[in-house]
Amino acid sequence: MITNVELINIGDELLIGQIVNTNATWIGQQLSLSGYWLKQITTIGDNEQEIIDALNAAKSRAQIILITGGLGPTKDDLTKDVLCKYFNTHLVFDKQAYSDIENIFHARGKVVTETNKRQAELPSACVPIYNKKGTAPGMWFNYGEHVFVSMPGVPFEMQAMMQNDVLPKLKQQYKAMPIVHKTILTQGIGESDLSDRIASWENDLPPHFKLAYLPAAGMVRLRLTGKGVEDMERDMNQRISKLKELIAPYIFGYDDDTIQSVVGSLLLEKQKTIAVAESCTGGFLSHLITSIPGSSAYFMGGTVSYSNASKMSQLSVSEQSLKDYGAVSEAVAIEMAIGARKIYNTDFALSITGIAGPGGGSVEKPIGTVWMGIATHDSCYARKFLLGTNRLRIIQVAADTALNMLRKEIIEHY
Amino acid sequence: MITNVELINIGDELLIGQIVNTNATWIGQQLSLSGYWLKQITTIGDNEQEIIDALNAAKSRAQIILITGGLGPTKDDLTKDVLCKYFNTHLVFDKQAYSDIENIFHARGKVVTETNKRQAELPSACVPIYNKKGTAPGMWFNYGEHVFVSMPGVPFEMQAMMQNDVLPKLKQQYKAMPIVHKTILTQGIGESDLSDRIASWENDLPPHFKLAYLPAAGMVRLRLTGKGVEDMERDMNQRISKLKELIAPYIFGYDDDTIQSVVGSLLLEKQKTIAVAESCTGGFLSHLITSIPGSSAYFMGGTVSYSNASKMSQLSVSEQSLKDYGAVSEAVAIEMAIGARKIYNTDFALSITGIAGPGGGSVEKPIGTVWMGIATHDSCYARKFLLGTNRLRIIQVAADTALNMLRKEIIEHY
């Protein structure tokens, strides 16, 4: 018997489209990975009666009701008071919650305000879920066969509570259905080309296995899910290894890997260092690399040379090359990579120079034209890519693609 | 009397978090701008009974029910058949819909498949909404005081139908309520400090005005919404100007502004240029600045100096300062800013050096300690901030804070 879950997202900002409801997406992924079925997502405003109606409706359909939002310290946040009414309980001051709030303020060099102090008052009927990343504690209410869990709407606070407290507690209390997931991350091949390559493999899947194509900027994730049948691991592994043979050249990682985490692990393993020289990506490549904790062990630095002058002064790109071929060219990409490797004294350097638009395009070099260079101790080359016309997508895909160039270089030659 | 709208999004992929529900965000924005109130968003799977239950529930709360998804040509798409049952009608072949489908296929050099041909069959009870961008027509059902509108889930197909057909028809049939929104963007003050400062102003708000606090990393957005009363603009503007007086030092922009767009406009207006030197933000500050189209007019470049060696070689930070004060110090922040301004030959330079964690913290310099420097033609100073313990949040807030330092410097002295 499947345990049904419902999610209630509270906040006017979701109804008027001021923010995208990424919490629902993330929670849906986590529940599905944990073997629970998210039956319905209900988004409502900060309104007492609507919250109570939504709680009653969800209770009539699901055993587990997750709630996000409306826990801020200000007047428009009603969730805590409404839950007090709903469960016919009252607020009590919680020492632990208060010391968490103190720590948050302390870490930001501030003292707790009266308004925030009230966030330490919790319904006496709930089991508090303490918040190490923000000032609003979560609340866990056991209610007959049902459980209601209220969490803050701030994504990284909610995510920490789900992973550290809520999902583990749910697994103790409710049977999850057998479920296995395996995700393969590919780069350099489109969704439909992938599906053509693996068509016969996909057609052989039994009904309890489902393949999902999850395209994202510059990559396609393939997620195979087995659901509802015991002991699927062995079967899953066999199918995955068959799949890997079919698309080996395009695979760069698995499950929660990112191209920056995969490249980071490779650099650590080989004890190599890297620097980057960026033009059109404007620092995003450096940002991706340094978003990985511990990246300072292999990332020495990067130069964002947006102007030709800085390409020459900072990366010793020759004025001649800029004049003869233009800033977006094979020659300049290679010189940028060589320059970055030299000034940061690293084993490898990546360079990106291109036209992200909306301006700057021409007939022979349209928007989306991007040259990427790589320099090593004994080689140096550049490749040209056409990455569409959307500025932010060009930046994202260019950075991912450059990291994948480095990954292949390391795997093939080191 | 307010016309309530409900939105029903149909599709398993939304429940397991395979795609983000950007349709709900976009539709919420459009309705709000048009003066309709989106009361609830309900997301359910491709399941007949759940769709019927959602339709009945929405009908009991709202006059207008918008539906997206489940109109594809494959077996798992049920919406059209369920609507036939719900309105007790039957499918009829629609010539216009079929010729639309033919055109789509011809444009792709293909002939219509039998599966797609069935997409031209529509419920006889509906007014078809023809689809010029895809193969699934929309359906408009008048039903007593209610209207039900079914649209495809593909965003650009749905958006075209909403703008060209659905919103204009709704405005003929239902009175839109007067609605005004104004958002003020603040930096450098917390949600609760804000609410303390404006408490009496907020308490004076009449019931048809509502204030929302929308905190995000490093900033708080204040959104004032007036609803349901005619001619609120004047009252709105008076309240906003009062509010501005109360929190003037913290305001950096309005509505859809970002700190990077505001700083970019200032630099363009004053015809000044900027460069940056980053350590712990690892390129994210450069990325924010260059995410603005046209930023090449004022952004000359940036250096990500992750290692002490590169701080010295690239930014001429003195070995003495690094030895005496450490990389995360006022002296080094100032030297980094001076160095960046010099090598990129700009009017201004910003620097950021700090400890983003998870490693590298100490008692006197805990994780989250960040020094930010600014160099101009006649001044140079640095400030210290404590930005919590979450690596990515520290990076985000540090970049926003540095940009706000520059904004204040320009406004006060240029």
Side-chain angles (χ1 to χ4, degrees):
Chain A
M1 180 271 198
I2 291 177
T3 303
N4 284 324
V5 184
E6 291 221 5
L7 173 62
I8 300 173
N9 302 116
I10 299 171
D12 289 353
E13 67 275 16
L14 294 163
L15 296 172
I16 66 171
Q18 195 141 24
I19 63 171
V20 180
N21 190 355
T22 54
N23 282 347
T25 314
W26 187 88
I27 288 172
Q29 288 166 355
Q30 296 304 311
L31 291 171
S32 156
L33 293 170
S34 307
Y36 296 111
W37 178 247
L38 180 55
K39 190 179 167 65
Q40 178 168 322
I41 302 163
T42 304
T43 306
I44 51 174
D46 301 286
N47 174 295
E48 176 173 334
Q49 193 52 53
E50 290 176 22
I51 295 171
I52 288 172
D53 293 345
L55 291 169
N56 284 325
K59 183 167 170 292
S60 71
R61 292 177 300 242
Q63 299 101 298
I64 301 167
I65 295 95
L66 303 178
I67 305 152
T68 68
L71 296 184
T74 52
K75 281 183 66 183
D76 58 316
D77 295 297
L78 307 174
T79 304
K80 193 165 68 178
D81 295 335
V82 175
L83 288 171
C84 268
K85 278 196 184 175
Y86 190 75
F87 293 108
N88 186 27
T89 179
H90 61 285
L91 293 175
V92 291
F93 182 79
D94 186 292
K95 277 208 175 70
Q96 175 63 54
Y98 184 66
S99 78
D100 287 345
I101 294 171
E102 276 185 320
N103 293 338
I104 293 286
F105 274 78
H106 192 87
R108 297 172 192 172
K110 294 178 179 169
V111 291
V112 181
T113 66
E114 271 312 303
T115 318
N116 285 98
K117 190 172 177 186
R118 282 198 293 275
Q119 293 191 284
E121 295 171 358
L122 295 174
S124 62
C126 85
V127 181
I129 305 170
Y130 295 111
N131 185 348
K132 301 300 175 197
K133 298 181 179 292
T135 58
M139 295 165 270
W140 175 289
F141 297 88
N142 290 304
Y143 194 70
E145 274 114 56
H146 297 78
V147 61
F148 294 74
V149 184
S150 168
M151 294 172 284
V154 180
F156 77 93
E157 297 179 24
M158 175 279 291
Q159 290 173 15
M161 282 189 191
M162 280 290 286
Q163 275 163 330
N164 305 331
D165 304 284
V166 179
L167 285 170
K169 269 176 74 109
L170 287 178
K171 284 170 186 166
Q172 290 167 13
Q173 223 163 303
Y174 294 93
K175 190 177 183 313
M177 88 182 112
I179 189 162
V180 284
H181 290 284
K182 185 73 183 174
T183 303
I184 296 182
L185 310 174
T186 70
Q187 232 260 17
I189 180 171
E191 195 176 354
S192 46
D193 289 341
L194 265 177
S195 69
D196 292 347
R197 272 179 178 259
I198 66 176
S200 63
W201 175 91
E202 192 173 359
N203 292 332
D204 286 347
L205 288 175
H208 61 282
F209 274 102
K210 197 169 175 186
L211 183 74
Y213 293 78
L214 310 172
M219 70 180 66
V220 177
R221 291 179 301 152
L222 287 174
R223 189 181 67 212
L224 184 62
T225 301
K227 224 190 312 195
V229 175
E230 299 294 342
D231 310 321
M232 289 172 289
E233 284 71 14
R234 201 156 150 284
D235 188 7
M236 166 71 92
N237 294 337
Q238 287 170 347
R239 294 179 186 281
I240 288 293
S241 48
K242 279 211 194 91
L243 177 56
K244 281 157 74 172
E245 289 166 16
L246 298 171
I247 54 174
Y250 306 103
I251 299 173
F252 72 84
Y254 301 92
D255 300 325
D256 298 331
D257 289 342
T258 59
I259 186 66
Q260 56 268 33
S261 70
V262 169
V263 167
S265 308
L266 274 173
L267 290 167
L268 278 178
E269 176 197 330
K270 311 280 185 186
Q271 300 196 319
K272 301 290 184 186
T273 58
I274 181 183
V276 305
E278 306 180 67
S279 181
C280 66
T281 44
F284 190 71
L285 176 56
S286 289
H287 167 60
L288 279 189
I289 295 170
T290 56
S291 65
I292 303 297
S295 47
S296 52
Y298 48 83
F299 180 71
M300 293 304 113
T303 296
V304 181
S305 56
Y306 232 47
S307 63
N308 280 354
S310 64
K311 285 184 183 68
M312 293 186 283
S313 65
Q314 297 309 299
L315 298 165
S316 357
V317 170
S318 72
E319 185 164 18
Q320 199 60 40
S321 302
L322 287 165
K323 204 181 293 162
D324 295 350
Y325 310 106
V328 179
S329 63
E330 179 172 24
V332 169
I334 288 176
E335 289 179 35
M336 285 171 69
I338 293 174
R341 182 170 178 271
K342 186 151 134 289
I343 63 177
Y344 290 104
N345 185 27
T346 54
D347 299 302
F348 304 112
L350 287 170
S351 69
I352 301 179
T353 177
I355 302 151
S362 67
V363 178
E364 62 280 1
K365 290 179 186 177
I367 289 170
T369 306
V370 181
W371 277 96
M372 303 188 197
I374 183 164
T376 75
H377 73 286
D378 65 354
S379 76
C380 186
Y381 55 90
R383 296 222 177 85
K384 182 183 172 184
F385 297 85
L386 292 171
L387 303 179
T389 58
N390 177 288
R391 179 180 177 85
L392 291 182
R393 190 179 180 281
I394 290 168
I395 290 171
Q396 167 87 61
V397 177
D400 289 346
T401 307
L403 286 171
N404 199 40
M405 261 175 82
L406 176 61
R407 183 188 64 84
K408 287 179 176 165
E409 173 68 26
I410 296 176
I411 285 172
E412 287 162 20
H413 302 293
Y414 292 84
Chain B
M1 181 271 200
I2 290 176
T3 303
N4 285 323
V5 185
E6 290 221 9
L7 173 62
I8 300 173
N9 303 115
I10 299 170
D12 288 351
E13 68 277 13
L14 294 164
L15 296 172
I16 64 171
Q18 240 168 49
I19 62 170
V20 180
N21 190 355
T22 55
N23 281 347
T25 313
W26 187 88
I27 288 172
Q29 287 166 354
Q30 297 304 312
L31 291 171
S32 163
L33 293 171
S34 306
Y36 295 110
W37 180 244
L38 179 55
K39 190 180 168 63
Q40 178 168 323
I41 303 164
T42 304
T43 306
I44 50 174
D46 302 286
N47 173 295
E48 175 171 336
Q49 193 51 52
E50 289 176 22
I51 295 172
I52 287 172
D53 293 345
L55 291 169
N56 284 325
K59 182 166 171 290
S60 71
R61 292 178 299 244
Q63 299 101 301
I64 301 168
I65 295 95
L66 303 179
I67 306 152
T68 68
L71 297 184
T74 52
K75 280 201 206 66
D76 57 325
D77 294 298
L78 308 174
T79 304
K80 192 164 68 177
D81 296 335
V82 174
L83 288 171
C84 269
K85 278 196 182 174
Y86 190 76
F87 294 109
N88 186 25
T89 179
H90 61 285
L91 293 174
V92 293
F93 183 80
D94 186 291
K95 278 208 174 69
Q96 175 63 54
Y98 184 66
S99 78
D100 288 345
I101 295 170
E102 275 186 322
N103 294 337
I104 294 283
F105 273 80
H106 290 165
R108 300 173 191 166
K110 296 177 179 172
V111 292
V112 182
T113 65
E114 273 311 305
T115 323
N116 289 97
K117 187 172 179 182
R118 280 199 294 277
Q119 292 191 285
E121 295 171 359
L122 295 174
S124 63
C126 84
V127 181
I129 305 171
Y130 295 111
N131 185 348
K132 303 298 176 197
K133 297 181 178 291
T135 56
M139 296 166 269
W140 175 290
F141 296 88
N142 290 304
Y143 194 71
E145 268 112 59
H146 297 78
V147 60
F148 294 74
V149 184
S150 168
M151 294 173 284
V154 182
F156 74 94
E157 297 179 25
M158 176 279 291
Q159 290 174 15
M161 283 189 190
M162 279 291 286
Q163 273 163 333
N164 305 331
D165 303 284
V166 179
L167 284 170
K169 270 176 75 106
L170 287 178
K171 284 171 185 165
Q172 290 167 14
Q173 221 162 306
Y174 294 92
K175 188 174 184 315
M177 90 184 123
I179 189 163
V180 283
H181 291 288
K182 185 72 183 173
T183 302
I184 296 183
L185 310 174
T186 71
Q187 230 261 17
I189 180 170
E191 191 176 358
S192 44
D193 289 339
L194 267 175
S195 70
D196 293 347
R197 271 180 179 259
I198 66 176
S200 63
W201 176 91
E202 191 173 359
N203 292 330
D204 286 348
L205 287 175
H208 61 282
F209 274 103
K210 195 168 177 186
L211 183 73
Y213 293 77
L214 308 171
M219 70 180 66
V220 177
R221 292 179 299 159
L222 287 174
R223 190 192 65 237
L224 184 62
T225 301
K227 214 161 55 182
V229 174
E230 300 294 341
D231 310 321
M232 288 173 290
E233 284 69 14
R234 201 155 151 282
D235 189 6
M236 166 72 94
N237 294 336
Q238 285 170 347
R239 293 179 186 281
I240 287 291
S241 48
K242 280 213 194 88
L243 178 56
K244 281 157 73 171
E245 289 167 19
L246 298 172
I247 54 174
Y250 305 104
I251 298 172
F252 71 83
Y254 301 92
D255 300 325
D256 298 331
D257 289 342
T258 59
I259 185 68
Q260 56 268 32
S261 70
V262 169
V263 167
S265 310
L266 273 173
L267 289 166
L268 278 178
E269 176 197 331
K270 310 281 184 186
Q271 301 197 315
K272 301 291 183 185
T273 58
I274 182 183
V276 305
E278 304 180 68
S279 182
C280 66
T281 44
F284 189 71
L285 175 57
S286 289
H287 166 60
L288 278 190
I289 295 169
T290 56
S291 65
I292 303 297
S295 46
S296 52
Y298 48 84
F299 180 71
M300 293 304 112
T303 296
V304 181
S305 56
Y306 232 46
S307 64
N308 280 353
S310 64
K311 286 184 182 69
M312 293 187 282
S313 65
Q314 298 310 299
L315 298 165
S316 0
V317 171
S318 72
E319 185 164 18
Q320 198 61 41
S321 302
L322 286 165
K323 203 181 296 163
D324 295 351
Y325 310 107
V328 179
S329 62
E330 179 172 23
V332 169
I334 289 176
E335 289 179 35
M336 285 170 70
I338 293 174
R341 182 170 179 271
K342 189 150 132 286
I343 63 179
Y344 291 104
N345 185 28
T346 54
D347 299 302
F348 304 112
L350 287 171
S351 69
I352 301 179
T353 178
I355 301 153
S362 67
V363 178
E364 62 280 2
K365 291 179 185 177
I367 290 169
T369 306
V370 181
W371 277 96
M372 304 187 194
I374 183 164
T376 75
H377 74 286
D378 65 353
S379 76
C380 187
Y381 54 90
R383 294 221 178 85
K384 182 184 171 184
F385 296 85
L386 292 171
L387 303 180
T389 58
N390 177 284
R391 179 179 177 85
L392 292 182
R393 187 181 182 280
I394 290 167
I395 291 171
Q396 168 87 61
V397 176
D400 289 345
T401 307
L403 287 170
N404 200 40
M405 260 175 83
L406 176 60
R407 182 188 64 84
K408 286 179 175 167
E409 174 68 26
I410 297 175
I411 286 172
E412 286 162 20
H413 303 296
Y414 293 84

